[in-house]
Amino acid sequence: MAGGTDQSQTTATRLVTSGRSNDPHVVNPPVYRASTHLYDDCAALREAPKSNRDGQFFYGRRGSPTQWALSDALTEIEPGAHGTVLYPSGVAAIAGALLSVVGPGDVLLVCDNAYDPSRHIATGLLKRMGVEARFFDPLDLDGFAGLFCERTRAVLLENPGSLTMEVCDVPALAAIAKDHQACVLIDNTWAGPLGFAAFAHGCDISIQALTKHVGGHSDLMMGSVSAASQGLYAKLRHVSQELGQVVSPDDAALALRGLRTMGVRLDRCTASALKIAHWLDQRPEVAHVLCPMLPGAPGHELWKRDFTGGCGLFSFVLKGGDDAARCRLIDALELFGIGYSWGGFESLATPVGIDGSRTATRWPKPEWDESDRFAIRLSIGLEEPDDLIADLERGFAAVARA
Ligand SMILES: *Cc1c(COP(=O)(O)O)cnc(C)c1O
């Protein structure tokens, strides 16, 4: 619990001051590599569950001071958050959050451009539990409003949407959901709390894959869910404990270390991504740059209105061509790695595979030339952007040579 949050501090400063050690002579909280907490006597052992509160060290699975330091820090940097629960991965965070708010007979509305594993949770695990998932076009407010029924319990948003980067009108969608007493969850991994204040824009639950920006160094898997109210926080915590979920204290310490530099890393990645997006936008081989930070790109106006920051992740669509040309381009890159995940210090490039995973929207977009359908996703890291541009130039040259 972020009891000591000084609201006069800016978030940038809270990235540095939050989740510190309780010992005034040590900067970082110690890594409690411990399952067991020892009690002085039987009376103390029996007393502990009665006074067991968040933030206390009761038993390893409930969290040691290392994990509490991280969840406190995440709560302190998320404006309006009541508390934060940690999960062993981003997907575990999404599953844990959904399991906390829907049950048999309920309807869950999911934005059509949700991260693929999120779709699979909805159409797999939740379906088997008797939850009905309905997918919606996040850019169609009327269509969204028309989907609600008596049983609609929750809405899962992602902004911008995975791979295709559509920016949706979160306050408008959340207002419609509120009219129907539905809980609004958002996968806020792209912008994180520095770039998008989820609770101020009407969301009730904000989810992050800490694997990405918070870890920042491609060396850990973790997720978090922050809740705007005590009631929702208690539900999240209850379900995560029922499922026996805990993160390792070593990983929590790594995530806390990543958090300290997240602001400067994001600033750098955002500036580099924008420079590269501008460059791609001028290339004759590129049909569309799907980067909401880029003026004129789809979603830019909403991004400007609602976001206070960006990151290094965006996609672009090649003009014509085929999958082989796209792969030739990616394979010719020397600085960009080819691999999943993003938000690390190193740049990555992957072919975007959407085929078959959208049900409420069309891809490629109906208004595009039909031959423009092969997209590449870039995660821009901390390298010099001009070197990355030279690398992409190498990629385009490899396509031209073929
Ligand atoms: C990567 C990702 C996740 C899942 O995170 P993991 O830690 O890999 O499970 C969730 N949402 C989005 C948008 C992601 O890109």
Side-chain angles (χ1 to χ4, degrees), residues 40-351:
D40 291 338
D41 51 31
C42 289
L45 179 87
R46 285 177 178 156
E47 212 38 52
K50 292 181 210 152
S51 62
N52 179 227
R53 288 191 311 271
D54 291 346
Q56 288 187 331
F57 191 11
F58 168 79
Y59 171 59
R61 187 181 354 91
R62 304 272 189 102
S64 79
T66 320
Q67 291 103 325
W68 289 118
L70 174 61
S71 57
D72 283 355
L74 291 168
T75 301
E76 289 183 36
I77 62 163
E78 178 79 63
H82 176 84
T84 301
V85 179
L86 303 174
Y87 299 82
S89 70
V91 165
I94 296 165
L98 289 171
L99 285 170
S100 304
V101 295
V102 293
D106 291 345
V107 171
L108 167 70
L109 303 182
V110 181
C111 66
D112 203 38
N113 52 9
Y115 181 58
D116 237 17
S118 300
R119 290 184 75 97
H120 295 153
I121 294 166
T123 56
L125 173 71
L126 294 180
K127 184 171 182 212
R128 293 195 296 279
M129 264 176 58
V131 177
E132 182 189 336
R134 295 181 187 167
F135 292 91
F136 65 93
D137 177 350
L139 305 186
D140 176 6
L141 292 175
D142 291 337
F144 175 71
L147 281 179
F148 282 82
C149 67
E150 280 289 293
R151 297 184 291 124
T152 309
R153 204 66 60 225
V155 176
L156 178 64
L157 303 176
E158 191 179 316
N159 196 34
S162 258
L163 306 175
T164 45
M165 299 286 146
E166 292 98 331
V167 180
C168 60
D169 190 339
V170 174
L173 292 166
I176 294 168
K178 286 277 139 63
D179 282 345
H180 295 86
Q181 285 89 46
C183 178
V184 180
L185 305 92
I186 189 165
D187 182 335
N188 199 25
T189 302
W190 187 86
L194 299 187
F196 185 76
F199 301 133
H201 289 90
C203 302
D204 303 298
I205 284 180
S206 177
I207 304 166
Q208 281 189 85
L210 305 180
T211 309
K212 313 290 169 53
H213 300 315
V214 172
H217 295 74
S218 309
D219 55 5
L220 70 94
M221 304 290 303
M222 205 183 289
S224 70
V225 181
S226 299
S229 69
Q230 156 68 24
L232 281 174
Y233 170 77
K235 283 188 190 176
L236 291 164
R237 178 81 180 137
H238 185 74
V239 169
S240 85
Q241 286 298 296
E242 280 183 320
L243 291 170
Q245 284 179 315
V246 63
V247 304
S248 102
D250 301 86
D251 285 347
L254 271 184
L256 205 47
R257 180 162 76 169
L259 198 66
R260 305 298 180 210
T261 58
M262 184 170 73
V264 285
R265 284 187 286 105
L266 280 175
D267 285 348
R268 162 79 173 187
C269 294
T270 302
S272 298
L274 197 51
K275 183 170 189 181
I276 293 164
H278 261 294
W279 180 81
L280 286 167
D281 204 32
Q282 309 299 319
R283 295 290 302 199
E285 303 93 334
V286 173
H288 306 281
V289 178
L290 308 177
C291 175
M293 305 175 296
L294 182 71
H300 178 69
E301 292 307 315
L302 277 176
W303 179 79
K304 221 167 52 181
R305 187 191 76 182
D306 291 347
F307 287 69
T308 49
C311 73
L313 188 80
F314 69 96
S315 301
F316 64 98
V317 182
L318 294 169
K319 191 167 279 182
D322 52 21
D323 181 51
R326 168 170 64 177
C327 291
R328 245 187 331 272
L329 193 165
I330 295 173
D331 290 347
L333 301 174
E334 291 174 7
L335 276 175
F336 286 86
I338 304 170
Y340 292 116
S341 198
W342 48 277
F345 59 88
E346 83 294 11
S347 292
L348 297 171
T350 47

